[in-house]
Amino acid sequence: MSHPTGYTRTQIRLHWIVVLLIALQYILHDTISEAWEAWLDGAEAGFDPLVAQHVLMGGLVAVLVVWRLALRVTHGAPPPPENEHPALKLAAHVTHWAIYALMLLLPVSGGVAWFGGVEAAAEAHEVMKTLLLLLIVLHVAAALVHQFIFKTNLMARMKRPVG
Protein backbone atom coordinates (compact mmCIF):
# COMPACT_ATOMS: atom_id res chain seq x y z
CA MET A 1 0.00 0.00 0.00
CA SER A 2 1.46 3.36 -1.02
CA HIS A 3 1.60 6.42 1.23
CA PRO A 4 0.57 9.52 -0.73
CA THR A 5 0.65 12.99 0.84
CA GLY A 6 -3.14 13.24 0.82
CA TYR A 7 -6.40 11.70 -0.32
CA THR A 8 -7.90 11.81 -3.80
CA ARG A 9 -11.03 13.84 -4.54
CA THR A 10 -13.06 10.61 -4.70
CA GLN A 11 -11.71 9.40 -1.34
CA ILE A 12 -12.62 12.72 0.29
CA ARG A 13 -16.10 12.79 -1.22
CA LEU A 14 -16.78 9.21 -0.20
CA HIS A 15 -15.62 9.99 3.35
CA TRP A 16 -18.06 12.89 3.72
CA ILE A 17 -20.94 11.07 1.99
CA VAL A 18 -20.52 8.14 4.39
CA VAL A 19 -20.35 10.58 7.33
CA LEU A 20 -23.67 12.09 6.23
CA LEU A 21 -25.32 8.71 5.67
CA ILE A 22 -24.22 7.40 9.06
CA ALA A 23 -25.40 10.58 10.79
CA LEU A 24 -28.80 10.13 9.15
CA GLN A 25 -28.88 6.48 10.24
CA TYR A 26 -28.44 7.55 13.87
CA ILE A 27 -30.91 10.44 13.61
CA LEU A 28 -33.65 8.49 11.80
CA HIS A 29 -33.34 5.09 13.49
CA ASP A 30 -36.40 5.38 15.76
CA THR A 31 -38.84 4.13 13.13
CA ILE A 32 -36.97 0.90 12.42
CA SER A 33 -36.44 0.33 16.16
CA GLU A 34 -40.17 0.70 16.73
CA ALA A 35 -40.97 -1.60 13.79
CA TRP A 36 -38.54 -4.21 15.15
CA GLU A 37 -40.10 -4.04 18.63
CA ALA A 38 -43.58 -4.36 17.10
CA TRP A 39 -42.44 -7.39 15.08
CA LEU A 40 -41.01 -8.98 18.24
CA ASP A 41 -44.43 -8.46 19.86
CA GLY A 42 -46.06 -10.34 16.97
CA ALA A 43 -47.37 -7.39 14.95
CA GLU A 44 -47.23 -7.27 11.15
CA ALA A 45 -44.48 -5.05 9.80
CA GLY A 46 -46.25 -2.86 7.26
CA PHE A 47 -44.38 -0.73 4.76
CA ASP A 48 -42.90 2.45 6.19
CA PRO A 49 -40.67 4.69 4.05
CA LEU A 50 -38.37 5.46 7.00
CA VAL A 51 -37.82 1.75 7.61
CA ALA A 52 -37.01 1.27 3.93
CA GLN A 53 -34.73 4.31 4.08
CA HIS A 54 -32.79 2.82 7.01
CA VAL A 55 -32.37 -0.53 5.27
CA LEU A 56 -31.37 1.00 1.92
CA MET A 57 -28.99 3.55 3.43
CA GLY A 58 -27.35 0.83 5.50
CA GLY A 59 -26.74 -1.14 2.33
CA LEU A 60 -25.45 1.99 0.58
CA VAL A 61 -23.00 2.62 3.43
CA ALA A 62 -21.64 -0.92 3.01
CA VAL A 63 -21.22 -0.46 -0.76
CA LEU A 64 -19.49 2.90 -0.34
CA VAL A 65 -17.19 1.50 2.36
CA VAL A 66 -16.14 -1.33 0.05
CA TRP A 67 -15.39 1.32 -2.60
CA ARG A 68 -13.42 3.34 -0.02
CA LEU A 69 -11.40 0.27 0.91
CA ALA A 70 -10.70 -0.50 -2.74
CA LEU A 71 -9.44 3.06 -3.21
CA ARG A 72 -7.36 2.78 -0.07
CA VAL A 73 -5.70 -0.35 -1.49
CA THR A 74 -5.15 1.13 -4.97
CA HIS A 75 -4.31 4.74 -4.03
CA GLY A 76 -3.10 4.32 -0.46
CA ALA A 77 -3.58 6.67 2.45
CA PRO A 78 -1.32 9.34 3.85
CA PRO A 79 0.82 8.25 6.80
CA PRO A 80 0.35 9.72 10.27
CA PRO A 81 2.46 12.76 11.13
CA GLU A 82 6.15 11.82 11.35
CA ASN A 83 6.71 13.06 14.89
CA GLU A 84 3.65 11.34 16.31
CA HIS A 85 4.26 8.97 19.22
CA PRO A 86 4.15 5.30 18.13
CA ALA A 87 1.29 4.58 20.57
CA LEU A 88 -0.82 7.29 18.91
CA LYS A 89 0.00 5.90 15.47
CA LEU A 90 -1.10 2.45 16.61
CA ALA A 91 -4.28 3.85 18.17
CA ALA A 92 -5.13 5.67 14.94
CA HIS A 93 -4.48 2.56 12.86
CA VAL A 94 -6.63 0.32 15.08
CA THR A 95 -9.40 2.93 15.30
CA HIS A 96 -9.57 3.43 11.52
CA TRP A 97 -9.75 -0.29 10.78
CA ALA A 98 -12.29 -0.86 13.56
CA ILE A 99 -14.48 1.88 12.07
CA TYR A 100 -14.22 0.27 8.63
CA ALA A 101 -15.10 -3.14 10.09
CA LEU A 102 -18.12 -1.76 11.95
CA MET A 103 -19.33 0.15 8.87
CA LEU A 104 -19.43 -3.23 7.09
CA LEU A 105 -20.70 -5.39 9.96
CA LEU A 106 -23.55 -3.07 10.95
CA PRO A 107 -25.41 -3.36 7.62
CA VAL A 108 -24.82 -7.12 7.61
CA SER A 109 -26.12 -7.59 11.15
CA GLY A 110 -29.04 -5.25 10.47
CA GLY A 111 -29.94 -7.14 7.30
CA VAL A 112 -29.73 -10.52 9.04
CA ALA A 113 -31.90 -9.20 11.87
CA TRP A 114 -34.47 -7.48 9.65
CA PHE A 115 -34.77 -9.99 6.81
CA GLY A 116 -33.95 -13.12 8.80
CA GLY A 117 -35.69 -12.22 12.05
CA VAL A 118 -32.57 -13.13 14.02
CA GLU A 119 -32.71 -11.49 17.46
CA ALA A 120 -29.03 -12.18 18.19
CA ALA A 121 -28.12 -10.20 15.06
CA ALA A 122 -30.31 -7.32 16.25
CA GLU A 123 -28.59 -7.38 19.63
CA ALA A 124 -25.16 -7.43 17.97
CA HIS A 125 -26.33 -4.55 15.76
CA GLU A 126 -27.19 -2.50 18.86
CA VAL A 127 -23.83 -3.18 20.50
CA MET A 128 -21.91 -2.36 17.31
CA LYS A 129 -23.98 0.79 16.80
CA THR A 130 -22.85 2.06 20.19
CA LEU A 131 -19.25 1.01 19.58
CA LEU A 132 -19.22 2.78 16.20
CA LEU A 133 -20.55 5.96 17.80
CA LEU A 134 -17.81 5.82 20.45
CA LEU A 135 -15.13 5.30 17.80
CA ILE A 136 -16.51 8.18 15.73
CA VAL A 137 -16.32 10.45 18.77
CA LEU A 138 -12.73 9.29 19.35
CA HIS A 139 -11.90 9.87 15.67
CA VAL A 140 -13.33 13.41 15.69
CA ALA A 141 -11.65 14.22 19.02
CA ALA A 142 -8.29 13.00 17.70
CA ALA A 143 -8.68 15.11 14.55
CA LEU A 144 -9.45 18.18 16.67
CA VAL A 145 -6.46 17.50 18.96
CA HIS A 146 -4.23 17.22 15.91
CA GLN A 147 -5.63 20.43 14.46
CA PHE A 148 -5.70 22.67 17.53
CA ILE A 149 -3.23 21.22 20.04
CA PHE A 150 -0.58 19.40 17.98
CA LYS A 151 -1.09 21.88 15.11
CA THR A 152 -0.34 19.24 12.45
CA ASN A 153 -3.04 20.54 10.07
CA LEU A 154 -4.10 16.91 9.68
CA MET A 155 -7.69 17.89 8.86
CA ALA A 156 -6.58 19.56 5.62
CA ARG A 157 -6.14 16.07 4.15
CA MET A 158 -9.94 15.58 4.22
CA LYS A 159 -10.60 18.99 2.63
CA ARG A 160 -8.13 19.33 -0.23
CA PRO A 161 -7.39 16.47 -2.64
CA VAL A 162 -3.91 15.68 -3.92
CA GLY A 163 -3.17 15.48 -7.58
Side-chain angles (χ1 to χ4, degrees), residues 26-92:
Y26 279 99
I27 292 167
L28 301 173
H29 83 280
D30 287 345
T31 305
I32 197 160
S33 295
E34 291 165 5
W36 176 256
E37 290 300 321
W39 180 82
L40 286 177
D41 292 339
E44 279 288 321
F47 177 78
D48 185 312
L50 287 178
V51 169
Q53 164 272 320
H54 190 85
V55 172
L56 292 173
M57 281 188 7
L60 182 57
V61 166
V63 168
L64 295 178
V65 167
V66 169
W67 188 5
R68 284 183 66 183
L69 289 170
L71 289 172
R72 190 174 181 105
V73 168
T74 58
H75 295 288
E82 277 185 41
N83 298 330
E84 188 165 83
H85 190 278
L88 292 177
K89 288 180 182 182
L90 177 61

Side-chain angles (χ1 to χ4, degrees), residues 86-133:
L88 292 177
K89 288 180 182 182
L90 177 61
H93 182 77
V94 169
T95 300
H96 278 106
W97 286 105
I99 289 172
Y100 278 123
L102 288 169
M103 288 188 299
L104 291 171
L105 291 171
L106 273 159
V108 170
S109 65
V112 169
W114 187 254
F115 295 110
V118 179
E119 287 186 58
E123 291 169 14
H125 190 77
E126 286 297 311
V127 170
M128 288 188 289
K129 176 181 80 171
T130 302
L131 184 55
L132 179 62
L133 187 57

Side-chain angles (χ1 to χ4, degrees), residues 137-152 154-155:
V137 168
L138 177 63
H139 180 68
V140 170
L144 293 172
V145 165
H146 271 278
Q147 189 69 24
F148 298 112
I149 296 175
F150 297 165
K151 302 205 185 291
T152 60
L154 197 69
M155 290 172 55

